[in-house]
Amino acid sequence: MNISEYQKPRKYRPGPGDPQLPPQLTEFHDKTTDEVLKELNKMPFFMTKLDNADVENGGNVELEALKALAYEGEPHEVAANFKNQGNDLYKVKRYKDARTMYSKGIEVKCEDDSINGSLYLNRAACELELRNFRSCINDCKKALNFNAKCVKAFYRMGQAYFKLKKLEEAKGSVLFGLKLDSQNNALVSLLDTIVKQEEKANVLEESRFRDQQEKDLHASKLKEALSWRKITEFKTANPPAVLQNSTLMLSEPEDIESQLSFPAMVYYPTINEFDFVETVSEFNTPRDLLEMLLHNRDDWVGKPGYENWTPSDIWAYMETDAGKLVKIGKRVQFYRIFMMEKPLIPLFDNALRIYLVPKNKAKTWLEGWM
């Protein structure tokens, strides 16, 4: 519709041959369409929204009357009415609304234990559907205060505990219920589910226990292997991040004399770069390591500052426990280097640490280290 076609709502005035307003609507004779709709909205049957301002001013008498009707009668009648409304809502899976009705019934505080127990029990069913498992358990316990032999309370409590993975508590709740009704199919089925889950949990726990035992044994053997080789370890305050998930290992984890491997931090201090090698054998040499690394450094060829980077033009240094540097032979196996009594060269943060420096820059770099 174009704005130009819009017509302001007019009062209804029947002309010749037009239908007259029925007697019930004569009061709307002098009102516009918008005014009529506003008045109809005050009637519960036609209501599409709640006019809060009108309610606060006491204008919506019909609505207030309907609210008052909900609380008319004896307390047990009012509570039972809320319970019935909750049951109807629960049947159509309106669990939040049903919970509200049961809560209203509980708030009445009637003196009928049967009604009160049912209200808590039914609210527990809503909490279970809404996955509020702890609230479900609490309501089941309150229901049992009114009826200690309520089998449904034990069943729902068992379900909630099961959902929380509290298998012992779930099983206990079900067993209490079965003492009251040993042939209850729902309880028997739930108990079977819990027992099966317990069996799975036990198998998993046994597997974890065996894995931990094996892990502890391997750690013990690794420590023994380092001691047998006279290799010492030094922990720094800020180990390189790349070493976080790296570790020492034996080729045969339970044989201390099997081949030992370790990660390596390889530094190129004159060009301010480094490499991380995840696994280096104790039988490797600095030359083995150097040849492997330089083989993958084609990007250095011809680059200013990267001259003389060939195995024969590089010297290797390792750090002692006192923080000094020692030049090492490039053909000496690492296990022999670590086994030297003097100078003592440790593993730093469980890794080999080595510095590779071009011969023609070694003197200047060493002076800077000192």
Side-chain angles (χ1 to χ4, degrees):
M1 178 187 292
N2 296 326
I3 294 177
S4 58
E5 298 175 353
Y6 173 76
Q7 295 183 2
K8 183 177 180 181
R10 296 175 299 170
K11 298 177 182 178
Y12 179 75
R13 299 184 184 280
D18 289 336
Q20 297 293 320
L21 286 172
Q24 297 92 332
L25 298 181
T26 53
E27 61 181 285
F28 299 132
H29 179 73
D30 293 323
K31 297 182 182 294
T32 64
T33 304
D34 288 342
E35 289 171 336
V36 170
L37 290 174
K38 185 175 181 181
E39 290 297 324
L40 287 174
N41 191 65
K42 294 181 181 180
M43 300 180 183
F45 183 80
F46 297 100
M47 190 173 289
T48 60
K49 64 180 180 178
L50 182 61
D51 189 339
N52 291 324
D54 198 38
V55 172
E56 290 172 2
N57 296 327
N60 199 330
V61 179
E62 292 87 351
L63 181 60
E64 293 303 309
L66 280 178
K67 287 183 178 180
L69 279 174
Y71 290 91
E72 280 193 359
E74 297 297 323
H76 70 277
E77 294 175 331
V78 175
N81 180 48
F82 280 124
K83 185 190 78 168
N84 293 334
Q85 290 183 63
N87 292 346
D88 292 337
L89 291 165
Y90 184 89
K91 289 175 184 177
V92 294
K93 299 183 179 182
R94 290 173 58 182
Y95 302 120
K96 289 185 178 180
D97 294 332
R99 179 179 60 183
T100 298
M101 290 297 109
Y102 296 135
S103 295
K104 287 181 179 294
I106 290 169
E107 290 168 4
V108 172
K109 297 180 180 179
C110 75
E111 296 182 359
D112 189 316
D113 287 352
S114 176
I115 293 175
N116 287 327
S118 294
L119 286 166
Y120 278 112
L121 184 64
N122 293 357
R123 190 170 72 174
C126 295
E127 300 291 13
L128 189 63
E129 294 291 347
L130 295 169
R131 302 186 66 80
N132 298 323
F133 302 125
R134 296 188 187 282
S135 295
C136 173
I137 292 167
N138 290 334
D139 276 351
C140 285
K141 290 179 178 179
K142 289 174 182 176
L144 288 169
N145 288 335
F146 293 101
N147 179 8
K149 295 183 178 182
C150 181
V151 174
K152 282 186 179 180
F154 287 113
Y155 174 67
R156 286 172 187 165
M157 192 156 51
Q159 286 181 299
Y161 275 127
F162 182 76
K163 293 292 186 180
L164 290 171
K165 296 183 171 32
K166 293 182 175 290
L167 300 183
E168 186 176 346
E169 291 87 345
K171 189 174 183 179
S173 299
V174 172
L175 291 176
F176 267 114
L178 287 172
K179 286 181 180 179
L180 300 170
D181 183 0
S182 61
Q183 303 303 313
N184 188 288
N185 291 331
L187 285 171
V188 171
S189 177
L190 180 55
L191 180 60
D192 182 59
T193 301
I194 293 170
V195 169
K196 288 180 179 177
Q197 190 62 36
E198 278 184 327
E199 291 172 353
K200 289 181 181 178
N202 289 337
V203 170
L204 182 60
E205 185 60 32
E206 288 174 5
S207 176
R208 287 175 179 169
F209 180 73
R210 286 194 301 271
D211 289 345
Q212 188 60 49
Q213 277 190 318
E214 184 178 84
K215 184 178 179 181
D216 292 343
L217 175 62
H218 292 173
S220 175
K221 288 294 182 181
L222 184 59
K223 187 175 181 180
E224 190 179 343
L226 293 175
S227 177
W228 181 69
R229 289 169 171 79
K230 298 180 180 179
I231 296 178
T232 59
E233 298 176 88
F234 186 87
K235 302 293 184 183
T236 64
N238 298 298
V242 291
L243 294 176
Q244 185 175 1
N245 297 317
S246 300
T247 184
L248 304 168
M249 65 180 70
L250 291 166
S251 58
E252 299 294 333
E254 297 180 19
D255 180 3
I256 66 171
E257 296 184 25
S258 63
Q259 180 181 209
L260 176 68
S261 298
F262 31 73
M265 294 297 302
V266 183
Y267 294 95
Y268 313 104
T270 60
I271 55 175
N272 197 31
E273 292 191 29
F274 75 89
D275 271 319
F276 166 69
V277 182
E278 190 169 3
T279 304
V280 175
S281 167
E282 62 179 328
F283 300 120
N284 285 140
T285 66
R287 188 176 183 86
D288 295 333
L289 190 59
L290 186 58
E291 289 178 345
M292 179 192 72
L293 293 169
L294 294 182
H295 178 72
N296 298 317
R297 285 296 188 177
D298 293 338
D299 58 316
W300 287 7
V301 177
K303 190 175 180 180
Y306 291 77
E307 301 85 359
N308 303 315
W309 280 94
T310 62
S312 59
D313 293 322
I314 299 296
W315 282 350
Y317 295 85
M318 293 184 72
E319 192 173 346
T320 70
D321 62 331
K324 297 184 179 299
L325 291 171
V326 177
K327 181 183 174 185
I328 56 174
K330 286 184 284 186
R331 296 185 184 278
V332 181
Q333 292 175 310
F334 285 116
Y335 85 91
R336 292 185 180 278
I337 296 172
F338 287 124
M339 288 180 68
M340 294 189 304
E341 292 187 7
K342 289 185 180 181
L344 184 62
I345 298 177
L347 287 170
F348 287 90
D349 302 312
N350 288 333
L352 178 151
R353 182 185 291 186
I354 188 169
Y355 300 88
L356 301 179
V357 183
K359 292 178 185 178
N360 61 349
K361 296 184 179 181
K363 184 179 178 181
T364 303
W365 176 68
L366 287 170
E367 289 174 351
W369 181 279
M370 297 177 187

